[in-house]
Amino acid sequence: MMKNSVVILAGGQGKRMKTDMPKALCEVLGKPMLQWVIEACEEADLNNICVVKGFAGEYIDSFLNGKYQTALQADRLGTGHAVMQAVNFLRKHSDGNTLILCGDAPFIDSKTIKDALNFHREKDLSVTVVTSVLDDPYGYGRIVRTENGISGIVEERDCTEEQKKIKEINSGCFWFKTKDLLDVLFSIKPDNAQGEYYLTDCISLLIKNGKSADAYISENENVSLGANDRRGLLHINDVARRQIINKHLDNGIEFTCTDGVSISNSVKIGIGTVIHSGVILKGNTEIGNGCEIGPNTYLNDTKVGRDTKLNNVVANESVIGNGVTIGPWVQLRPNTHIANGAKIGDFVEIKNSNIGEGTAVAHLTYVGDSDVGENVNLGCGVTTANYNGDKKFRTTIGDNSFIGCNTNLIAPVKIGKNAYTAAGSTVTKDVPDGALIIERGQGVIKDGYADRMLKNRNEKIAKEKAKRAADDNSQN
């Protein structure tokens, strides 16, 4: 059985981006453009991928982390030259078809890939060019059509005035019969205004060899859209942002305002959920039905149950249950689990902890490396001291316990079920079920000590007060 393969061209430097990374790693909605392209391939069941790297190729290696093969284009001499660097990969898969993609064109989609391949197979073509039709085709290679297909692609700088009027453009995406591509790949010449090896010249060479070529027009009008500078990158971020918001609108999600709203294409949102301004949703975040998110909430790789309300919340790699209320100004750090019905107040930080069902964590509280049971009340200013400067330890709090205001729990420590800590206690030992602990230092009063210590400060304050009064009198 023939195995189809993919070559992704990601060797561009993108000087106008003014970055030390390859252009293909510049981000659209928080995800590198190259990742968008790879995910489209994976969704189309194409996992035999070679990425052609060039400028700062070590960044590509780090990004791929060994998942896919790479080839090095040491000198950037055009798209044809880039594909030549993957020749060993192509020869290993010469019995199938090869998809050529640009790593900095993030809007290629799995449907276009699949439909173009079907078109390619049904017409038994040597090469199929994926195209789109633009009102303003400036800067793109034009498709020259014939009665039986296409005769070639002419790059913008090489176009005649008549060819510049053509609106069908090359997206940079091609399906080739791999064997046919190899037959002509090393015959292309840099006979053009750029002095580069154009991959598009393979089309005219294949036609001269009696092979067939045609173009598939994608339904995705943005399939060719890329960016050469920061302005262009901002534009495609805006395009992606609007596309994703429109998708969620169609699925029954309410947006009260889209200002500052940014949602990655991998995010899932349940029907009836309301999104407010300033919300950023990234990674594999999932939100259940009937939630209210925002304003100014950031969720990354976080799962949220149904009917939950988040206001000014930052959460990374966390799980939040049903009917939970959190915020404002709360941070949930990785591996935090908030159970159903919990309430998290303002200025709270929780890290690597489990918060039980119905538990309330009041304001100005830090919970780290802890397991908190059901229906617990953590008062204002509670802190779990989980780190001694060398190692981290866990705190356990039993169901139905009451942790008084400004309690410090010095881990490792265990508070039993139905236990109570007095406000201001610094707890250093385990508390049995149903018990109260009062752990405060002995109050010692030293008469006159503060007067002596604060003498200079108080004299300075008195002088400043007298000066202000004098200034006020002089103005009156």
Side-chain angles (χ1 to χ4, degrees), residues 313-356:
V313 175
V314 173
N316 284 284
E317 301 172 30
S318 297
V319 177
I320 302 169
N322 304 326
V324 174
T325 301
I326 303 181
W329 306 298
V330 170
Q331 179 176 202
L332 305 182
R333 291 166 59 188
N335 200 30
T336 290
H337 294 73
I338 310 294
N340 299 341
K343 294 179 175 61
I344 313 298
D346 53 311
F347 299 105
V348 170
E349 180 175 345
I350 303 175
K351 168 247 177 187
N352 188 30
S353 296
N354 301 300
I355 306 299

Side-chain angles (χ1 to χ4, degrees), residues 21-40 42-43 63 103-108 233 236-237 240 244 247 262-267 280-285 298 300-301:
M21 297 188 303
K23 184 171 69 169
L25 293 183
C26 290
E27 293 188 348
V28 174
L29 299 185
K31 185 164 61 178
M33 292 188 282
L34 177 58
Q35 187 175 343
W36 286 70
V37 176
I38 289 174
E39 287 178 357
E42 292 171 342
E43 289 171 10
F63 169 75
D104 57 358
F107 295 119
I108 185 65
L233 187 62
I236 62 176
N237 268 275
I244 291 170
K247 178 189 73 173
S262 178
I263 303 175
S264 297
N265 64 340
S266 52
V267 170
I280 299 174
L281 307 176
K282 297 178 65 176
N284 294 315
T285 291
Y298 173 98
N300 178 48
D301 291 333

Side-chain angles (χ1 to χ4, degrees), residues 366-371 383-389 391-397 407-415 426-430:
Y366 171 71
V367 180
D369 300 308
S370 299
D371 300 298
T383 299
T384 58
N386 57 319
Y387 183 49
N388 68 358
K391 296 179 180 180
K392 294 184 179 180
F393 302 91
R394 293 195 75 80
T395 293
T396 301
I397 302 174
T407 294
N408 296 309
L409 302 174
I410 312 302
V413 69
K414 181 176 181 180
I415 308 299
T426 295
V427 180
T428 59
K429 56 187 176 183
D430 291 351

Side-chain angles (χ1 to χ4, degrees), residues 3-80:
K3 189 172 184 180
N4 296 316
S5 56
V6 184
V7 174
I8 301 175
L9 310 184
Q13 179 175 357
K15 291 182 180 179
R16 284 178 284 175
M17 289 287 186
K18 294 181 172 59
T19 176
D20 294 332
M21 297 188 303
K23 184 171 69 169
L25 293 183
C26 290
E27 293 188 348
V28 174
L29 299 185
K31 185 164 61 178
M33 292 188 282
L34 177 58
Q35 187 175 343
W36 286 70
V37 176
I38 289 174
E39 287 178 357
C41 294
E42 292 171 342
E43 289 171 10
D45 299 322
L46 297 171
N47 297 289
N48 192 31
I49 298 172
C50 177
V51 177
V52 179
K53 60 187 180 180
F55 170 75
E58 65 274 12
Y59 285 97
I60 298 290
D61 291 334
S62 177
F63 169 75
L64 294 174
N65 195 28
K67 184 175 183 180
Y68 292 115
Q69 185 174 330
T70 63
L72 176 63
Q73 185 187 20
D75 299 308
R76 293 178 294 281
L77 301 176
T79 53

